[in-house]
Amino acid sequence: MWIISRKTLSDFWKNYKDAEQALRAWYQEAEAASWKNPSDIKKLYRNASILKNSRVVFNIAGNKYRLVVKINYDYFMVYIRFIGTHEQYDKIDANTI
């Protein structure tokens, strides 16, 4: 998968150091993946939440953080839409962000 943009993740882990390892691991796994549909994601990430509008929510660092992405399965592109704490996540609409 082609992930846009890694900088969003690195900016986040500069402020939340305990997220760095988990985000790096997620990035490497996602980059190596060839997800064709949501069920492909669920095979690797059983706790991922599949939302409408091609959004997926991943639990990061033992569910301490939430990562919201939008996926274009036809073009194998993953757009990072949000990364934050649960408190920050509760203030957004993951279906539209």
Side-chain angles (χ1 to χ4, degrees):
M1 303 298 287
W2 185 19
I3 303 167
I4 302 178
S5 133
R6 184 177 186 272
K7 185 176 181 328
T8 304
L9 300 179
S10 63
D11 287 348
F12 183 78
W13 75 55
K14 287 176 187 172
N15 294 319
Y16 298 90
K17 302 279 186 207
D18 60 331
E20 182 174 1
Q21 285 292 90
L23 287 171
R24 283 182 184 272
W26 176 87
Y27 185 90
Q28 290 176 345
E29 290 169 354
E31 188 176 45
S34 296
W35 297 321
K36 294 179 181 138
N37 54 53
S39 65
D40 288 346
I41 295 169
K42 290 296 266 186
K43 289 175 189 172
L44 185 58
Y45 297 98
R46 285 184 231 129
N47 292 326
S49 299
I50 307 299
L51 307 179
K52 63 183 179 179
N53 297 324
S54 301
R55 302 302 201 276
V56 180
V57 180
F58 294 93
N59 298 322
I60 301 295
N63 202 23
K64 190 170 183 182
Y65 305 107
R66 293 281 176 98
L67 172 64
V68 179
V69 302
K70 180 176 181 176
I71 300 178
N72 182 321
Y73 296 100
D74 293 333
Y75 293 98
F76 298 98
M77 298 190 66
V78 176
Y79 302 90
I80 297 177
R81 306 299 298 151
F82 171 85
I83 177 69
T85 64
H86 278 273
E87 184 179 333
Q88 294 164 336
Y89 175 82
D90 290 341
K91 294 177 183 176
I92 66 158
D93 180 354
N95 288 301
T96 60
I97 195 166

